[in-house]
């Protein structure tokens, strides 16, 4: 799958993790297995969250094709009947209905930004479930999506509910605002990049 | 007269079994009715690739012990906090050999549904194959399996009725304002020293004292009473794709650490060979996080040499809510891992152990050799 090397130079001050990994499509189409190759350096400073990430990838789907796919996805979502009565994706048995899949994936995209902001060298997050949809609007070529997820933090085993509001337009940076119900207060970040309103949607050399 | 009657009685017992007659009269069979009123389900149609509520698992255990009565016994282990019965299945090939025990429990954490699914799969595989499969038949000569399909029954039911992501038991604390103990922090081993909380509201609440919970006591009592015979203690969880060795409560290594890692790595390799799934192997304080009061640490420190926590699929994509479509593949690969561990445990105690067998084999070999040299 890939390799991981961890350097702790003065672990109190800095922890660097070097990663090599491959990527695959989140929802693989029949017969087409596109593997991107990435290497990344992740830096945690002073055991704080929101690590600094430098990442390089090759063999990703090319930009034009990605934009095309984003646009198609947007069109697909535009067709969706308003899913405001939707709760729990996946359901208890792990099923995600095909028509709800794009919602789940968009929820995951927003959650991954939230998780990046909260991750430290000790705290690792996963999206356990999309618990409810508060609002789903498509207008002006953008999806306005307000929802709650349950994040699972691995080392404490806690489940953390987060309310996330994202705005997604194909080809434009994702806008994310969120609030999580937490036991501890949020911390300063490891890096200085990004405010809470903007996160990268494309992988590129920083 | 009496000896003749005795012989006739024995024949009466043996012949029907030999001819495969069902030893239970139809009257008994009709009593096994689904309490929810749906048509009586037979084992032939039981779906091992679906998740089952506790009522169905109880029924399944009854049906298994009924159908495979020659090798399976259902034992009462104790009661849960909410006074439900805890049962384990003993799979034992009758013989005069002294037996050692392999213990496996699933579902100590309520939300880890793939674990009870695996325990049921495991039982099914052993029972459907023990007659024809020489590997399984081999270890059943000297090993009994004790399988507890759901340890945290109250919690498991709660994940079906109320909160899919509940983890703990359902014990009541602080005048009914706070619920649940993390049963895997409740065992009497360095209790509540690290990686656990004294606060009932927390998800790793260690309980009100070591082995304070009835579920913990039920398992501990049985294992304690049989500890000379238990050679392997396996406890199945999800998720993370890990084979964990002692310890969680300290980074010190267990006395047989190297051996445990070797056996664990071999199991991970066997697992990967099935569907390509990657598992990591290591001491839990090293590759996971510190924990105190865990069942695998407790088991090891009362003298059980092989003690593992296995964390099944996946790696976080679905986490606890693993799709049913993955149950079969998960169970198939995990089966390979468990069988690999059992092979190694068996080889350690019985390959060169039985003096009588070795002697006779040696005698035969030397006779053959001497005959050959005469030719």
């Amino acid at each position: 799958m890939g390799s991981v090397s961890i350097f702790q130079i003065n672990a109190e001050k800095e922890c660097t993790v070097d990663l090599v990994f491959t990527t695959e499509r989140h929802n693989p189409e029949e017969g087409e297995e596109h593997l991107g190759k990435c290497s990344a350096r992740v830096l945690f400073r002073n055991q704080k969250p929101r690590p600094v990430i430098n990442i390089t990838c090759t063999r990703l789907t090319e930009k034009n094709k990605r934009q095309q796919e984003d646009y198609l996805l947007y069109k697909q979502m535009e067709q969706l009947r308003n899913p405001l009565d939707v709760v729990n994706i996946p359901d208890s048995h792990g099923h995600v209905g095909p028509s709800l899949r794009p919602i789940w994936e968009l929820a995951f995209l927003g959650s991954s930004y939230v998780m990046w902001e909260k991750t430290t060298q000790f705290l690792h997050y996963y999206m356990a479930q999309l618990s409810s949809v508060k609002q789903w609007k498509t207008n002006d070529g953008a999806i306005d999506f307000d929802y709650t997820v349950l994040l699972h933090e691995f080392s404490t085993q806690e489940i953390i509910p987060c309310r996330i509001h994202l705005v997604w337009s194909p080809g434009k940076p994702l806008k994310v605002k969120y609030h999580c119900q937490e036991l501890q207060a949020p911390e300063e970040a490891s890096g200085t990049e990004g405010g809470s309103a903007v996160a990268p949607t494309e992988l590129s050399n920083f | 007269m009496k000896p003749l009657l005795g012989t006739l009685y024995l024949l009466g017992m043996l012949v029907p079994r030999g001819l495969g007659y069902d030893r239970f009269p139809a009257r008994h069979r009709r009593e096994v009715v689904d309490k929810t009123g749906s048509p009586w389900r037979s084992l032939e149609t039981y779906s091992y690739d679906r998740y089952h509520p506790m009522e169905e698992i109880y029924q399944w255990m009854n049906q298994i012990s009924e159908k495979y009565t020659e090798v399976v016994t259902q034992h009462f282990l104790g009661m849960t906090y909410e006074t439900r019965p805890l049962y384990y299945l003993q799979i034992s090939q009758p013989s005069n050999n002294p037996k050692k025990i392999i213990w496996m429990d699933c579902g100590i954490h309520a939300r880890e549904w793939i674990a009870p699914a695996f325990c049921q799969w495991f039982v099914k595989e052993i029972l459907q194959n023990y007659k024809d499969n020489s590997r399984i038949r081999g270890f059943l000569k000297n090993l009994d399996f004790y399988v507890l399909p759901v340890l945290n029954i109250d919690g498991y039911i709660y994940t079906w009725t109320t909160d899919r992501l509940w983890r703990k038991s359902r014990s009541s604390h602080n005048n009914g304002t706070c619920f649940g103990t993390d049963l895997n922090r409740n065992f009497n081993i360095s209790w509540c020293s690290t990686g656990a909380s004294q606060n009932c509201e927390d998800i790793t609440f260690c309980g009100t004292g070591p082995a304070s919970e009835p579920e913990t006591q039920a398992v501990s009592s049985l294992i304690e009473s049989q500890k000379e015979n238990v050679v392997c203690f396996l406890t199945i969880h999800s998720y993370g794709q890990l084979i964990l060795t002692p310890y969680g409560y300290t980074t010190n290594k267990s006395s047989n650490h190297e051996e445990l890692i070797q056996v664990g790595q071999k199991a991970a390799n066997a697992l990967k060979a099935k569907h390509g799934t990657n598992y990591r192997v290591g001491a839990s304080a090293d590759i996971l996080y510190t924990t105190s009061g865990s069942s695998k640490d407790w088991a090891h420190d009362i003298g059980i040499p092989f003690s593992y926590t296995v964390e099944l699929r996946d790696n976080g994509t679905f986490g606890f809510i693993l799709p049913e479509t993955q149950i079969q593949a998960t169970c198939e690969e995990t089966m390979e891992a468990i069988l690999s561990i059992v092979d190694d445990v068996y080889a350690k105690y019985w390959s060169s152990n039985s003096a009588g067998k070795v002697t006779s084999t040696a005698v035969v070999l030397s006779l053959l050799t001497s005959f050959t040299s005469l030719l």
Side-chain angles (χ1 to χ4, degrees):
Chain A
M1 189 199 160
S3 70
V4 181
S5 346
I6 304 179
F7 305 103
Q8 303 220 24
I9 303 153
N10 192 355
E12 301 301 302
K13 293 272 180 181
E14 265 186 20
C15 173
T16 302
V17 183
D18 282 345
L19 296 163
V20 172
F21 58 95
T22 54
T23 65
E24 59 184 26
R25 298 175 68 89
H26 197 246
N27 196 8
E29 270 141 40
E30 293 91 331
E32 200 204 313
E33 201 196 45
H34 190 108
L35 291 178
K37 291 167 105 79
C38 300
S39 65
R41 174 161 279 199
V42 180
L43 171 66
F44 299 98
R45 246 183 224 123
N46 296 320
Q47 302 177 30
K48 299 239 179 268
R50 215 205 286 180
V52 179
I53 302 179
N54 283 317
I55 184 166
T56 317
C57 291
T58 57
R59 296 190 53 219
L60 292 180
T61 311
E62 50 178 61
K63 188 163 173 171
N64 284 339
K65 183 139 197 285
R66 286 207 306 264
Q67 281 180 344
Q68 214 175 38
E69 288 182 6
D70 277 359
Y71 184 70
L72 281 172
L73 185 61
Y74 172 79
K75 279 299 185 191
Q76 226 185 308
M77 290 185 185
E78 229 185 2
Q79 308 297 330
L80 283 173
R81 251 184 333 110
N82 204 324
L84 284 183
D85 55 350
V86 158
V87 289
N88 295 343
I89 309 173
D91 69 14
S92 285
H93 297 237
H95 300 138
V96 179
S99 62
L100 297 174
R101 188 105 197 177
I103 299 175
W104 184 61
E105 291 177 347
L106 198 58
F108 182 73
L109 184 61
S111 300
S112 62
Y113 175 80
V114 176
M115 294 190 282
W116 164 62
E117 287 230 327
K118 298 161 71 57
T119 297
T120 71
Q121 67 207 74
F122 306 115
L123 299 176
H124 310 137
Y125 294 87
Y126 301 90
M127 183 178 90
Q129 199 176 37
L130 167 60
S131 46
S132 70
V133 176
K134 302 285 183 221
Q135 177 169 277
W136 174 271
K137 280 198 306 210
T138 54
N139 51 23
D140 289 338
I143 299 197
D144 190 303
F145 184 22
D146 189 343
Y147 59 102
T148 62
V149 288
L150 298 173
L151 299 184
H152 173 230
E153 199 289 304
F154 212 81
S155 61
T156 60
Q157 287 291 314
E158 288 286 353
I159 299 293
I160 297 147
C162 295
R163 176 85 180 255
I164 301 178
H165 187 185
L166 69 79
V167 177
W168 178 62
S169 253
K172 299 211 182 96
L174 192 73
K175 295 192 176 110
V176 182
K177 287 198 179 125
Y178 68 94
H179 175 74
C180 296
Q181 278 176 44
E182 281 211 88
L183 303 172
Q184 294 113 351
E187 294 194 60
E188 271 171 58
S190 281
T192 53
E193 61 184 348
S196 56
V198 177
T201 50
E202 298 170 34
L203 300 169
S204 58
N205 296 355
F206 286 3
Chain B
M1 189 58 176
K2 270 190 188 159
L4 180 60
L5 279 176
T7 314
L8 285 173
Y9 176 72
L10 278 173
L11 280 172
M13 292 273 289
L14 291 169
V15 170
R17 180 186 289 176
L19 292 174
Y21 293 161
D22 187 343
R23 292 173 69 218
F24 285 83
R27 166 173 53 84
H28 181 87
R29 188 177 284 279
R30 244 176 268 123
E31 284 168 24
V32 185
V33 167
D34 189 327
K35 287 180 176 58
T36 63
S38 53
W40 187 76
R41 200 180 296 104
S42 76
L43 269 182
E44 276 70 43
T45 56
Y46 194 78
S47 307
Y48 291 94
D49 59 355
R50 306 281 268 278
Y51 296 119
H52 292 273
M54 199 60 215
E55 271 310 305
E56 292 181 9
I57 298 177
Y58 274 128
Q59 210 182 319
W60 168 82
M61 277 194 274
N62 286 338
Q63 291 170 357
I64 286 278
S65 46
E66 222 178 278
K67 174 168 182 178
Y68 294 97
T69 190
E70 66 281 7
V71 288
V72 177
T73 320
Q74 184 173 324
H75 294 277
F76 176 78
L77 188 62
M79 297 291 266
T80 67
Y81 184 86
E82 288 177 336
T83 66
R84 295 188 177 90
L86 273 160
Y87 295 113
Y88 68 95
L89 296 171
Q90 175 184 7
I91 303 175
S92 178
Q93 177 78 274
S95 89
N96 293 322
N97 294 337
K99 300 285 197 66
K100 294 292 184 189
I101 298 165
I102 308 241
W103 166 270
M104 185 163 76
D105 65 75
C106 295
I108 192 172
H109 289 139
R111 56 195 181 192
E112 300 167 10
W113 285 15
I114 186 62
F118 175 69
C119 266
Q120 292 165 69
W121 182 282
F122 178 84
V123 166
K124 175 256 298 179
E125 281 295 308
I126 298 290
L127 296 176
Q128 283 180 358
N129 295 301
Y130 80 95
K131 287 183 176 150
D132 311 317
N133 184 308
S134 56
R135 184 189 193 188
I136 298 176
R137 212 176 44 237
F139 29 76
L140 283 178
K141 288 199 183 92
N142 299 93
L143 287 172
D144 285 354
F145 291 103
Y146 287 18
V147 181
L148 173 55
V150 185
L151 198 161
N152 181 5
I153 294 178
D154 298 344
Y156 185 71
I157 291 173
Y158 194 73
T159 59
W160 279 80
T161 58
T162 313
D163 180 356
R164 176 64 178 82
L165 294 172
W166 188 257
R167 167 184 167 93
K168 301 187 286 181
S169 70
R170 290 296 301 165
S171 54
S172 168
H173 305 276
N174 301 351
N175 280 334
T177 59
C178 188
F179 291 90
T181 297
D182 184 339
L183 296 174
N184 205 33
R185 300 290 184 276
N186 188 239
F187 282 76
N188 188 10
I189 179 77
S190 195
W191 180 77
C192 229
S193 60
T194 181
S197 169
Q198 300 259 28
N199 183 342
C200 167
E201 283 171 29
D202 288 342
I203 206 162
T204 54
F205 176 53
C206 52
T208 51
S212 57
E213 304 307 305
E215 296 88 351
T216 313
Q217 287 163 28
V219 173
S220 304
S221 309
L222 177 78
I223 304 285
E224 184 81 55
S225 70
Q226 297 267 30
K227 65 182 176 195
E228 279 76 40
N229 296 322
V230 181
V231 287
C232 183
F233 181 92
L234 301 167
T235 179
I236 313 296
H237 293 240
S238 76
Y239 59 94
Q241 296 175 197
L242 303 163
I243 295 175
L244 299 168
T245 69
Y247 295 108
Y249 69 86
T250 173
T251 47
N252 292 344
K253 296 298 171 270
S254 57
S255 51
N256 61 342
H257 174 75
E258 250 88 69
E259 182 183 34
L260 288 176
I261 294 292
Q262 205 179 47
V263 170
Q265 193 54 63
K266 192 157 150 285
N269 297 343
L271 188 151
K272 183 170 174 160
K274 192 76 184 175
H275 296 301
T277 309
N278 284 306
Y279 269 57
R280 289 181 295 142
V281 182
S284 52
D286 290 343
I287 68 172
L288 196 59
Y289 38 73
T290 61
T291 57
S292 56
S294 71
S295 65
K296 69 141 173 23
D297 286 354
W298 171 81
H300 194 267
D301 279 4
I302 60 162
I304 296 167
F306 291 90
S307 184
Y308 295 97
T309 294
V310 186
E311 298 275 358
L312 302 184
R313 285 197 195 181
D314 61 11
N315 259 332
T317 309
F318 290 94
F320 301 117
I321 315 186
L322 191 72
E324 283 178 323
T325 49
Q326 287 195 44
I327 293 178
Q328 181 173 334
T330 306
C331 289
E332 286 172 347
E333 66 194 13
T334 309
M335 194 72 199
E336 292 305 317
I338 305 302
L339 290 178
S340 169
I341 294 174
V342 175
D343 276 345
D344 285 347
V345 170
Y346 190 86
K348 184 182 167 95
Y349 295 98
W350 287 283
S351 61
S352 52
N353 199 23
S354 177
K357 274 198 183 136
V358 171
T359 313
S360 55
T361 317
V363 166
V364 169
L365 279 173
S366 58
L367 281 174
L368 279 173
T369 321
S370 40
F371 277 128
T372 322
S373 61
L374 286 174
L375 295 170

